[in-house]
PDB file of all heavy atoms in Angstrom:
ATOM      1  N   ASP A  45     -19.831  -8.285 -30.646  1.00 95.00           N
ATOM      2  CA  ASP A  45     -18.692  -8.687 -29.832  1.00 95.00           C
ATOM      3  C   ASP A  45     -18.395 -10.169 -30.046  1.00 95.00           C
ATOM      4  O   ASP A  45     -19.282 -11.014 -29.949  1.00 95.00           O
ATOM      5  CB  ASP A  45     -18.974  -8.400 -28.361  1.00 95.00           C
ATOM      6  CG  ASP A  45     -17.717  -8.359 -27.518  1.00 95.00           C
ATOM      7  OD1 ASP A  45     -16.610  -8.369 -28.075  1.00 95.00           O
ATOM      8  OD2 ASP A  45     -17.845  -8.308 -26.275  1.00 95.00           O
ATOM      9  N   GLY A  46     -17.140 -10.469 -30.318  1.00 97.00           N
ATOM     10  CA  GLY A  46     -16.732 -11.834 -30.598  1.00 97.00           C
ATOM     11  C   GLY A  46     -16.758 -12.203 -32.062  1.00 97.00           C
ATOM     12  O   GLY A  46     -16.174 -13.231 -32.440  1.00 97.00           O
ATOM     13  N   ARG A  47     -17.433 -11.409 -32.877  1.00 98.00           N
ATOM     14  CA  ARG A  47     -17.500 -11.679 -34.312  1.00 98.00           C
ATOM     15  C   ARG A  47     -16.738 -10.642 -35.137  1.00 98.00           C
ATOM     16  O   ARG A  47     -16.184 -10.972 -36.188  1.00 98.00           O
ATOM     17  CB  ARG A  47     -18.951 -11.712 -34.790  1.00 98.00           C
ATOM     18  CG  ARG A  47     -19.792 -12.800 -34.135  1.00 98.00           C
ATOM     19  CD  ARG A  47     -21.167 -12.909 -34.779  1.00 98.00           C
ATOM     20  NE  ARG A  47     -21.940 -11.667 -34.618  1.00 98.00           N
ATOM     21  CZ  ARG A  47     -22.382 -10.929 -35.633  1.00 98.00           C
ATOM     22  NH1 ARG A  47     -22.140 -11.284 -36.886  1.00 98.00           N
ATOM     23  NH2 ARG A  47     -23.082  -9.824 -35.391  1.00 98.00           N
ATOM     24  N   PHE A  48     -16.727  -9.399 -34.679  1.00 98.00           N
ATOM     25  CA  PHE A  48     -16.070  -8.306 -35.398  1.00 98.00           C
ATOM     26  C   PHE A  48     -14.795  -7.915 -34.666  1.00 98.00           C
ATOM     27  O   PHE A  48     -14.718  -7.984 -33.433  1.00 98.00           O
ATOM     28  CB  PHE A  48     -16.980  -7.079 -35.480  1.00 98.00           C
ATOM     29  CG  PHE A  48     -18.179  -7.220 -36.378  1.00 98.00           C
ATOM     30  CD1 PHE A  48     -18.566  -8.440 -36.895  1.00 98.00           C
ATOM     31  CD2 PHE A  48     -18.926  -6.094 -36.699  1.00 98.00           C
ATOM     32  CE1 PHE A  48     -19.680  -8.562 -37.714  1.00 98.00           C
ATOM     33  CE2 PHE A  48     -20.035  -6.196 -37.519  1.00 98.00           C
ATOM     34  CZ  PHE A  48     -20.413  -7.429 -38.025  1.00 98.00           C
ATOM     35  N   THR A  49     -13.812  -7.458 -35.430  1.00 98.00           N
ATOM     36  CA  THR A  49     -12.558  -6.970 -34.869  1.00 98.00           C
ATOM     37  C   THR A  49     -12.167  -5.678 -35.559  1.00 98.00           C
ATOM     38  O   THR A  49     -12.048  -5.639 -36.784  1.00 98.00           O
ATOM     39  CB  THR A  49     -11.428  -7.997 -35.026  1.00 98.00           C
ATOM     40  OG1 THR A  49     -11.795  -9.230 -34.406  1.00 98.00           O
ATOM     41  CG2 THR A  49     -10.147  -7.474 -34.374  1.00 98.00           C
ATOM     42  N   ILE A  50     -11.960  -4.637 -34.772  1.00 98.00           N
ATOM     43  CA  ILE A  50     -11.502  -3.363 -35.307  1.00 98.00           C
ATOM     44  C   ILE A  50      -9.993  -3.268 -35.113  1.00 98.00           C
ATOM     45  O   ILE A  50      -9.459  -3.717 -34.097  1.00 98.00           O
ATOM     46  CB  ILE A  50     -12.234  -2.184 -34.632  1.00 98.00           C
ATOM     47  CG1 ILE A  50     -11.933  -0.863 -35.347  1.00 98.00           C
ATOM     48  CG2 ILE A  50     -11.895  -2.090 -33.152  1.00 98.00           C
ATOM     49  CD1 ILE A  50     -12.802   0.294 -34.867  1.00 98.00           C
ATOM     50  N   SER A  51      -9.309  -2.709 -36.087  1.00 98.00           N
ATOM     51  CA  SER A  51      -7.870  -2.537 -35.999  1.00 98.00           C
ATOM     52  C   SER A  51      -7.461  -1.331 -36.832  1.00 98.00           C
ATOM     53  O   SER A  51      -8.269  -0.792 -37.602  1.00 98.00           O
ATOM     54  CB  SER A  51      -7.128  -3.798 -36.476  1.00 98.00           C
ATOM     55  OG  SER A  51      -7.406  -4.065 -37.836  1.00 98.00           O
ATOM     56  N   ARG A  52      -6.225  -0.910 -36.677  1.00 97.00           N
ATOM     57  CA  ARG A  52      -5.755   0.224 -37.460  1.00 97.00           C
ATOM     58  C   ARG A  52      -4.283   0.064 -37.778  1.00 97.00           C
ATOM     59  O   ARG A  52      -3.525  -0.590 -37.041  1.00 97.00           O
ATOM     60  CB  ARG A  52      -6.017   1.550 -36.737  1.00 97.00           C
ATOM     61  CG  ARG A  52      -5.240   1.757 -35.454  1.00 97.00           C
ATOM     62  CD  ARG A  52      -5.781   2.957 -34.678  1.00 97.00           C
ATOM     63  NE  ARG A  52      -5.633   4.197 -35.436  1.00 97.00           N
ATOM     64  CZ  ARG A  52      -6.319   5.311 -35.191  1.00 97.00           C
ATOM     65  NH1 ARG A  52      -7.231   5.332 -34.212  1.00 97.00           N
ATOM     66  NH2 ARG A  52      -6.114   6.396 -35.924  1.00 97.00           N
ATOM     67  N   ASP A  53      -3.891   0.663 -38.877  1.00 96.00           N
ATOM     68  CA  ASP A  53      -2.501   0.718 -39.295  1.00 96.00           C
ATOM     69  C   ASP A  53      -2.205   2.183 -39.565  1.00 96.00           C
ATOM     70  O   ASP A  53      -2.493   2.698 -40.645  1.00 96.00           O
ATOM     71  CB  ASP A  53      -2.266  -0.136 -40.535  1.00 96.00           C
ATOM     72  CG  ASP A  53      -0.804  -0.217 -40.925  1.00 96.00           C
ATOM     73  OD1 ASP A  53      -0.004   0.624 -40.472  1.00 96.00           O
ATOM     74  OD2 ASP A  53      -0.457  -1.135 -41.693  1.00 96.00           O
ATOM     75  N   ASN A  54      -1.659   2.853 -38.567  1.00 91.00           N
ATOM     76  CA  ASN A  54      -1.441   4.290 -38.701  1.00 91.00           C
ATOM     77  C   ASN A  54      -0.425   4.623 -39.787  1.00 91.00           C
ATOM     78  O   ASN A  54      -0.484   5.698 -40.383  1.00 91.00           O
ATOM     79  CB  ASN A  54      -1.013   4.886 -37.360  1.00 91.00           C
ATOM     80  CG  ASN A  54      -2.173   5.060 -36.400  1.00 91.00           C
ATOM     81  OD1 ASN A  54      -3.329   4.819 -36.750  1.00 91.00           O
ATOM     82  ND2 ASN A  54      -1.874   5.473 -35.176  1.00 91.00           N
ATOM     83  N   ALA A  55       0.507   3.704 -40.056  1.00 94.00           N
ATOM     84  CA  ALA A  55       1.462   3.930 -41.134  1.00 94.00           C
ATOM     85  C   ALA A  55       0.766   4.012 -42.484  1.00 94.00           C
ATOM     86  O   ALA A  55       1.248   4.692 -43.394  1.00 94.00           O
ATOM     87  CB  ALA A  55       2.522   2.837 -41.145  1.00 94.00           C
ATOM     88  N   LYS A  56      -0.348   3.300 -42.638  1.00 96.00           N
ATOM     89  CA  LYS A  56      -1.136   3.333 -43.859  1.00 96.00           C
ATOM     90  C   LYS A  56      -2.309   4.294 -43.770  1.00 96.00           C
ATOM     91  O   LYS A  56      -3.074   4.431 -44.725  1.00 96.00           O
ATOM     92  CB  LYS A  56      -1.652   1.935 -44.201  1.00 96.00           C
ATOM     93  CG  LYS A  56      -0.570   0.924 -44.513  1.00 96.00           C
ATOM     94  CD  LYS A  56      -1.174  -0.411 -44.910  1.00 96.00           C
ATOM     95  CE  LYS A  56      -0.097  -1.426 -45.232  1.00 96.00           C
ATOM     96  NZ  LYS A  56       0.668  -1.031 -46.450  1.00 96.00           N
ATOM     97  N   ASN A  57      -2.472   4.932 -42.612  1.00 96.00           N
ATOM     98  CA  ASN A  57      -3.572   5.870 -42.402  1.00 96.00           C
ATOM     99  C   ASN A  57      -4.920   5.200 -42.683  1.00 96.00           C
ATOM    100  O   ASN A  57      -5.811   5.791 -43.297  1.00 96.00           O
ATOM    101  CB  ASN A  57      -3.401   7.113 -43.282  1.00 96.00           C
ATOM    102  CG  ASN A  57      -3.662   8.407 -42.529  1.00 96.00           C
ATOM    103  OD1 ASN A  57      -3.600   8.465 -41.303  1.00 96.00           O
ATOM    104  ND2 ASN A  57      -3.963   9.467 -43.266  1.00 96.00           N
ATOM    105  N   THR A  58      -5.066   3.967 -42.199  1.00 97.00           N
ATOM    106  CA  THR A  58      -6.231   3.158 -42.507  1.00 97.00           C
ATOM    107  C   THR A  58      -6.714   2.424 -41.262  1.00 97.00           C
ATOM    108  O   THR A  58      -5.905   1.969 -40.446  1.00 97.00           O
ATOM    109  CB  THR A  58      -5.913   2.140 -43.615  1.00 97.00           C
ATOM    110  OG1 THR A  58      -5.489   2.838 -44.789  1.00 97.00           O
ATOM    111  CG2 THR A  58      -7.139   1.308 -43.960  1.00 97.00           C
ATOM    112  N   VAL A  59      -8.027   2.302 -41.136  1.00 98.00           N
ATOM    113  CA  VAL A  59      -8.674   1.534 -40.082  1.00 98.00           C
ATOM    114  C   VAL A  59      -9.490   0.433 -40.737  1.00 98.00           C
ATOM    115  O   VAL A  59     -10.065   0.628 -41.818  1.00 98.00           O
ATOM    116  CB  VAL A  59      -9.561   2.436 -39.205  1.00 98.00           C
ATOM    117  CG1 VAL A  59     -10.300   1.616 -38.159  1.00 98.00           C
ATOM    118  CG2 VAL A  59      -8.717   3.505 -38.530  1.00 98.00           C
ATOM    119  N   TYR A  60      -9.551  -0.718 -40.091  1.00 98.00           N
ATOM    120  CA  TYR A  60     -10.223  -1.880 -40.643  1.00 98.00           C
ATOM    121  C   TYR A  60     -11.314  -2.374 -39.702  1.00 98.00           C
ATOM    122  O   TYR A  60     -11.255  -2.172 -38.488  1.00 98.00           O
ATOM    123  CB  TYR A  60      -9.238  -3.021 -40.877  1.00 98.00           C
ATOM    124  CG  TYR A  60      -8.061  -2.646 -41.738  1.00 98.00           C
ATOM    125  CD1 TYR A  60      -6.863  -2.250 -41.164  1.00 98.00           C
ATOM    126  CD2 TYR A  60      -8.152  -2.679 -43.123  1.00 98.00           C
ATOM    127  CE1 TYR A  60      -5.778  -1.899 -41.944  1.00 98.00           C
ATOM    128  CE2 TYR A  60      -7.071  -2.329 -43.913  1.00 98.00           C
ATOM    129  CZ  TYR A  60      -5.889  -1.943 -43.324  1.00 98.00           C
ATOM    130  OH  TYR A  60      -4.818  -1.592 -44.102  1.00 98.00           O
ATOM    131  N   LEU A  61     -12.289  -3.043 -40.283  1.00 98.00           N
ATOM    132  CA  LEU A  61     -13.286  -3.766 -39.514  1.00 98.00           C
ATOM    133  C   LEU A  61     -13.415  -5.159 -40.115  1.00 98.00           C
ATOM    134  O   LEU A  61     -13.970  -5.324 -41.203  1.00 98.00           O
ATOM    135  CB  LEU A  61     -14.642  -3.057 -39.523  1.00 98.00           C
ATOM    136  CG  LEU A  61     -15.721  -3.698 -38.640  1.00 98.00           C
ATOM    137  CD1 LEU A  61     -15.348  -3.575 -37.166  1.00 98.00           C
ATOM    138  CD2 LEU A  61     -17.090  -3.074 -38.898  1.00 98.00           C
ATOM    139  N   GLN A  62     -12.871  -6.146 -39.412  1.00 98.00           N
ATOM    140  CA  GLN A  62     -12.987  -7.534 -39.823  1.00 98.00           C
ATOM    141  C   GLN A  62     -14.297  -8.089 -39.298  1.00 98.00           C
ATOM    142  O   GLN A  62     -14.545  -8.062 -38.092  1.00 98.00           O
ATOM    143  CB  GLN A  62     -11.808  -8.347 -39.275  1.00 98.00           C
ATOM    144  CG  GLN A  62     -11.849  -9.827 -39.626  1.00 98.00           C
ATOM    145  CD  GLN A  62     -11.576 -10.090 -41.078  1.00 98.00           C
ATOM    146  OE1 GLN A  62     -10.720  -9.447 -41.673  1.00 98.00           O
ATOM    147  NE2 GLN A  62     -12.304 -11.031 -41.663  1.00 98.00           N
ATOM    148  N   MET A  63     -15.129  -8.595 -40.188  1.00 98.00           N
ATOM    149  CA  MET A  63     -16.458  -9.070 -39.833  1.00 98.00           C
ATOM    150  C   MET A  63     -16.555 -10.550 -40.180  1.00 98.00           C
ATOM    151  O   MET A  63     -16.514 -10.923 -41.357  1.00 98.00           O
ATOM    152  CB  MET A  63     -17.541  -8.268 -40.556  1.00 98.00           C
ATOM    153  CG  MET A  63     -17.429  -6.760 -40.341  1.00 98.00           C
ATOM    154  SD  MET A  63     -18.851  -5.845 -41.005  1.00 98.00           S
ATOM    155  CE  MET A  63     -18.662  -6.220 -42.753  1.00 98.00           C
ATOM    156  N   ASN A  64     -16.690 -11.378 -39.162  1.00 98.00           N
ATOM    157  CA  ASN A  64     -16.812 -12.818 -39.324  1.00 98.00           C
ATOM    158  C   ASN A  64     -18.201 -13.277 -38.896  1.00 98.00           C
ATOM    159  O   ASN A  64     -18.908 -12.580 -38.173  1.00 98.00           O
ATOM    160  CB  ASN A  64     -15.757 -13.545 -38.489  1.00 98.00           C
ATOM    161  CG  ASN A  64     -14.343 -13.208 -38.878  1.00 98.00           C
ATOM    162  OD1 ASN A  64     -14.056 -12.916 -40.037  1.00 98.00           O
ATOM    163  ND2 ASN A  64     -13.436 -13.257 -37.906  1.00 98.00           N
ATOM    164  N   SER A  65     -18.573 -14.464 -39.337  1.00 98.00           N
ATOM    165  CA  SER A  65     -19.848 -15.071 -38.957  1.00 98.00           C
ATOM    166  C   SER A  65     -21.005 -14.109 -39.157  1.00 98.00           C
ATOM    167  O   SER A  65     -21.847 -13.909 -38.277  1.00 98.00           O
ATOM    168  CB  SER A  65     -19.790 -15.549 -37.502  1.00 98.00           C
ATOM    169  OG  SER A  65     -18.738 -16.481 -37.310  1.00 98.00           O
ATOM    170  N   LEU A  66     -21.063 -13.528 -40.319  1.00 98.00           N
ATOM    171  CA  LEU A  66     -22.055 -12.492 -40.591  1.00 98.00           C
ATOM    172  C   LEU A  66     -23.471 -13.048 -40.557  1.00 98.00           C
ATOM    173  O   LEU A  66     -23.724 -14.189 -40.968  1.00 98.00           O
ATOM    174  CB  LEU A  66     -21.775 -11.839 -41.935  1.00 98.00           C
ATOM    175  CG  LEU A  66     -20.604 -10.850 -41.911  1.00 98.00           C
ATOM    176  CD1 LEU A  66     -20.107 -10.565 -43.320  1.00 98.00           C
ATOM    177  CD2 LEU A  66     -21.028  -9.555 -41.223  1.00 98.00           C
ATOM    178  N   LYS A  67     -24.377 -12.223 -40.069  1.00 98.00           N
ATOM    179  CA  LYS A  67     -25.786 -12.557 -39.938  1.00 98.00           C
ATOM    180  C   LYS A  67     -26.620 -11.599 -40.776  1.00 98.00           C
ATOM    181  O   LYS A  67     -26.194 -10.481 -41.054  1.00 98.00           O
ATOM    182  CB  LYS A  67     -26.222 -12.463 -38.472  1.00 98.00           C
ATOM    183  CG  LYS A  67     -25.411 -13.291 -37.499  1.00 98.00           C
ATOM    184  CD  LYS A  67     -25.847 -13.017 -36.072  1.00 98.00           C
ATOM    185  CE  LYS A  67     -25.050 -13.831 -35.079  1.00 98.00           C
ATOM    186  NZ  LYS A  67     -25.459 -13.552 -33.683  1.00 98.00           N
ATOM    187  N   PRO A  68     -27.827 -12.013 -41.158  1.00 97.00           N
ATOM    188  CA  PRO A  68     -28.674 -11.090 -41.919  1.00 97.00           C
ATOM    189  C   PRO A  68     -28.893  -9.758 -41.210  1.00 97.00           C
ATOM    190  O   PRO A  68     -28.986  -8.717 -41.881  1.00 97.00           O
ATOM    191  CB  PRO A  68     -29.988 -11.871 -42.069  1.00 97.00           C
ATOM    192  CG  PRO A  68     -29.556 -13.302 -42.069  1.00 97.00           C
ATOM    193  CD  PRO A  68     -28.414 -13.360 -41.080  1.00 97.00           C
ATOM    194  N   GLU A  69     -28.962  -9.758 -39.890  1.00 96.00           N
ATOM    195  CA  GLU A  69     -29.166  -8.518 -39.159  1.00 96.00           C
ATOM    196  C   GLU A  69     -27.959  -7.592 -39.182  1.00 96.00           C
ATOM    197  O   GLU A  69     -28.035  -6.454 -38.701  1.00 96.00           O
ATOM    198  CB  GLU A  69     -29.592  -8.794 -37.706  1.00 96.00           C
ATOM    199  CG  GLU A  69     -28.670  -9.745 -36.969  1.00 96.00           C
ATOM    200  CD  GLU A  69     -29.187 -11.171 -36.961  1.00 96.00           C
ATOM    201  OE1 GLU A  69     -29.659 -11.643 -38.010  1.00 96.00           O
ATOM    202  OE2 GLU A  69     -29.123 -11.820 -35.890  1.00 96.00           O
ATOM    203  N   ASP A  70     -26.827  -8.053 -39.720  1.00 98.00           N
ATOM    204  CA  ASP A  70     -25.674  -7.185 -39.921  1.00 98.00           C
ATOM    205  C   ASP A  70     -25.805  -6.334 -41.180  1.00 98.00           C
ATOM    206  O   ASP A  70     -24.961  -5.467 -41.422  1.00 98.00           O
ATOM    207  CB  ASP A  70     -24.390  -8.006 -40.017  1.00 98.00           C
ATOM    208  CG  ASP A  70     -24.053  -8.723 -38.726  1.00 98.00           C
ATOM    209  OD1 ASP A  70     -24.214  -8.122 -37.643  1.00 98.00           O
ATOM    210  OD2 ASP A  70     -23.614  -9.887 -38.802  1.00 98.00           O
ATOM    211  N   THR A  71     -26.825  -6.574 -41.966  1.00 98.00           N
ATOM    212  CA  THR A  71     -27.028  -5.834 -43.203  1.00 98.00           C
ATOM    213  C   THR A  71     -27.222  -4.346 -42.929  1.00 98.00           C
ATOM    214  O   THR A  71     -27.933  -3.959 -41.995  1.00 98.00           O
ATOM    215  CB  THR A  71     -28.238  -6.384 -43.957  1.00 98.00           C
ATOM    216  OG1 THR A  71     -27.953  -7.717 -44.406  1.00 98.00           O
ATOM    217  CG2 THR A  71     -28.580  -5.526 -45.165  1.00 98.00           C
ATOM    218  N   GLY A  72     -26.599  -3.509 -43.725  1.00 98.00           N
ATOM    219  CA  GLY A  72     -26.759  -2.080 -43.596  1.00 98.00           C
ATOM    220  C   GLY A  72     -25.647  -1.337 -44.297  1.00 98.00           C
ATOM    221  O   GLY A  72     -24.742  -1.934 -44.877  1.00 98.00           O
ATOM    222  N   ILE A  73     -25.722  -0.033 -44.235  1.00 98.00           N
ATOM    223  CA  ILE A  73     -24.651   0.813 -44.728  1.00 98.00           C
ATOM    224  C   ILE A  73     -23.688   1.062 -43.575  1.00 98.00           C
ATOM    225  O   ILE A  73     -24.100   1.508 -42.501  1.00 98.00           O
ATOM    226  CB  ILE A  73     -25.175   2.142 -45.282  1.00 98.00           C
ATOM    227  CG1 ILE A  73     -26.184   1.890 -46.405  1.00 98.00           C
ATOM    228  CG2 ILE A  73     -24.025   3.000 -45.793  1.00 98.00           C
ATOM    229  CD1 ILE A  73     -26.852   3.151 -46.918  1.00 98.00           C
ATOM    230  N   TYR A  74     -22.426   0.781 -43.798  1.00 98.00           N
ATOM    231  CA  TYR A  74     -21.403   0.925 -42.772  1.00 98.00           C
ATOM    232  C   TYR A  74     -20.588   2.184 -43.027  1.00 98.00           C
ATOM    233  O   TYR A  74     -20.104   2.421 -44.138  1.00 98.00           O
ATOM    234  CB  TYR A  74     -20.490  -0.299 -42.748  1.00 98.00           C
ATOM    235  CG  TYR A  74     -21.109  -1.488 -42.048  1.00 98.00           C
ATOM    236  CD1 TYR A  74     -22.190  -2.154 -42.609  1.00 98.00           C
ATOM    237  CD2 TYR A  74     -20.619  -1.929 -40.822  1.00 98.00           C
ATOM    238  CE1 TYR A  74     -22.773  -3.230 -41.962  1.00 98.00           C
ATOM    239  CE2 TYR A  74     -21.196  -3.005 -40.175  1.00 98.00           C
ATOM    240  CZ  TYR A  74     -22.277  -3.656 -40.748  1.00 98.00           C
ATOM    241  OH  TYR A  74     -22.844  -4.729 -40.104  1.00 98.00           O
ATOM    242  N   TYR A  75     -20.444   2.974 -41.981  1.00 98.00           N
ATOM    243  CA  TYR A  75     -19.714   4.228 -42.040  1.00 98.00           C
ATOM    244  C   TYR A  75     -18.556   4.205 -41.049  1.00 98.00           C
ATOM    245  O   TYR A  75     -18.683   3.654 -39.957  1.00 98.00           O
ATOM    246  CB  TYR A  75     -20.609   5.413 -41.660  1.00 98.00           C
ATOM    247  CG  TYR A  75     -21.856   5.579 -42.490  1.00 98.00           C
ATOM    248  CD1 TYR A  75     -23.022   4.904 -42.166  1.00 98.00           C
ATOM    249  CD2 TYR A  75     -21.865   6.437 -43.582  1.00 98.00           C
ATOM    250  CE1 TYR A  75     -24.176   5.068 -42.921  1.00 98.00           C
ATOM    251  CE2 TYR A  75     -23.010   6.614 -44.338  1.00 98.00           C
ATOM    252  CZ  TYR A  75     -24.161   5.923 -44.001  1.00 98.00           C
ATOM    253  OH  TYR A  75     -25.300   6.103 -44.751  1.00 98.00           O
ATOM    254  N   CYS A  76     -17.451   4.822 -41.414  1.00 98.00           N
ATOM    255  CA  CYS A  76     -16.424   5.120 -40.430  1.00 98.00           C
ATOM    256  C   CYS A  76     -16.442   6.606 -40.139  1.00 98.00           C
ATOM    257  O   CYS A  76     -16.856   7.425 -40.969  1.00 98.00           O
ATOM    258  CB  CYS A  76     -15.033   4.659 -40.876  1.00 98.00           C
ATOM    259  SG  CYS A  76     -14.364   5.461 -42.340  1.00 98.00           S
ATOM    260  N   ALA A  77     -16.018   6.953 -38.947  1.00 97.00           N
ATOM    261  CA  ALA A  77     -16.030   8.335 -38.502  1.00 97.00           C
ATOM    262  C   ALA A  77     -14.832   8.581 -37.599  1.00 97.00           C
ATOM    263  O   ALA A  77     -14.340   7.664 -36.940  1.00 97.00           O
ATOM    264  CB  ALA A  77     -17.335   8.651 -37.757  1.00 97.00           C
ATOM    265  N   ALA A  78     -14.381   9.819 -37.573  1.00 97.00           N
ATOM    266  CA  ALA A  78     -13.210  10.202 -36.801  1.00 97.00           C
ATOM    267  C   ALA A  78     -13.538  11.345 -35.862  1.00 97.00           C
ATOM    268  O   ALA A  78     -14.352  12.214 -36.184  1.00 97.00           O
ATOM    269  CB  ALA A  78     -12.067  10.611 -37.729  1.00 97.00           C
ATOM    270  N   THR A  79     -12.895  11.333 -34.714  1.00 95.00           N
ATOM    271  CA  THR A  79     -12.997  12.430 -33.767  1.00 95.00           C
ATOM    272  C   THR A  79     -11.630  12.683 -33.147  1.00 95.00           C
ATOM    273  O   THR A  79     -10.932  11.732 -32.786  1.00 95.00           O
ATOM    274  CB  THR A  79     -14.046  12.139 -32.677  1.00 95.00           C
ATOM    275  OG1 THR A  79     -14.190  13.281 -31.831  1.00 95.00           O
ATOM    276  CG2 THR A  79     -13.658  10.936 -31.823  1.00 95.00           C
ATOM    277  N   PRO A  80     -11.207  13.943 -33.032  1.00 93.00           N
ATOM    278  CA  PRO A  80      -9.935  14.213 -32.366  1.00 93.00           C
ATOM    279  C   PRO A  80      -9.953  13.651 -30.956  1.00 93.00           C
ATOM    280  O   PRO A  80     -10.954  13.762 -30.238  1.00 93.00           O
ATOM    281  CB  PRO A  80      -9.851  15.744 -32.361  1.00 93.00           C
ATOM    282  CG  PRO A  80     -10.709  16.172 -33.503  1.00 93.00           C
ATOM    283  CD  PRO A  80     -11.843  15.186 -33.525  1.00 93.00           C
ATOM    284  N   SER A  81      -8.852  13.062 -30.566  1.00 89.00           N
ATOM    285  CA  SER A  81      -8.831  12.365 -29.293  1.00 89.00           C
ATOM    286  C   SER A  81      -7.421  12.298 -28.746  1.00 89.00           C
ATOM    287  O   SER A  81      -6.447  12.284 -29.498  1.00 89.00           O
ATOM    288  CB  SER A  81      -9.396  10.950 -29.460  1.00 89.00           C
ATOM    289  OG  SER A  81      -9.298  10.200 -28.272  1.00 89.00           O
ATOM    290  N   SER A  82      -7.336  12.234 -27.425  1.00 85.00           N
ATOM    291  CA  SER A  82      -6.072  11.902 -26.787  1.00 85.00           C
ATOM    292  C   SER A  82      -5.584  10.560 -27.320  1.00 85.00           C
ATOM    293  O   SER A  82      -6.373   9.639 -27.538  1.00 85.00           O
ATOM    294  CB  SER A  82      -6.247  11.846 -25.270  1.00 85.00           C
ATOM    295  OG  SER A  82      -5.119  11.289 -24.645  1.00 85.00           O
ATOM    296  N   ILE A  83      -4.289  10.454 -27.521  1.00 80.00           N
ATOM    297  CA  ILE A  83      -3.726   9.229 -28.087  1.00 80.00           C
ATOM    298  C   ILE A  83      -4.067   8.017 -27.237  1.00 80.00           C
ATOM    299  O   ILE A  83      -4.350   6.933 -27.770  1.00 80.00           O
ATOM    300  CB  ILE A  83      -2.200   9.369 -28.236  1.00 80.00           C
ATOM    301  CG1 ILE A  83      -1.871  10.436 -29.269  1.00 80.00           C
ATOM    302  CG2 ILE A  83      -1.574   8.036 -28.625  1.00 80.00           C
ATOM    303  CD1 ILE A  83      -0.388  10.710 -29.400  1.00 80.00           C
ATOM    304  N   MET A  84      -4.093   8.206 -25.936  1.00 81.00           N
ATOM    305  CA  MET A  84      -4.286   7.082 -25.020  1.00 81.00           C
ATOM    306  C   MET A  84      -5.688   7.041 -24.419  1.00 81.00           C
ATOM    307  O   MET A  84      -5.903   6.382 -23.404  1.00 81.00           O
ATOM    308  CB  MET A  84      -3.244   7.137 -23.908  1.00 81.00           C
ATOM    309  CG  MET A  84      -1.814   7.063 -24.408  1.00 81.00           C
ATOM    310  SD  MET A  84      -0.588   7.142 -23.083  1.00 81.00           S
ATOM    311  CE  MET A  84      -0.887   5.598 -22.244  1.00 81.00           C
TER     312      MET A  84
END
């Protein structure tokens, strides 16, 4: 919290994860996942 920002561009059918001030403990394999959901 405060370092990463999630966003999406539905027109591009793409989701982003902006990661700033990275730390060694952020190391890993990053996955995105989807689940059907109410829009709101």
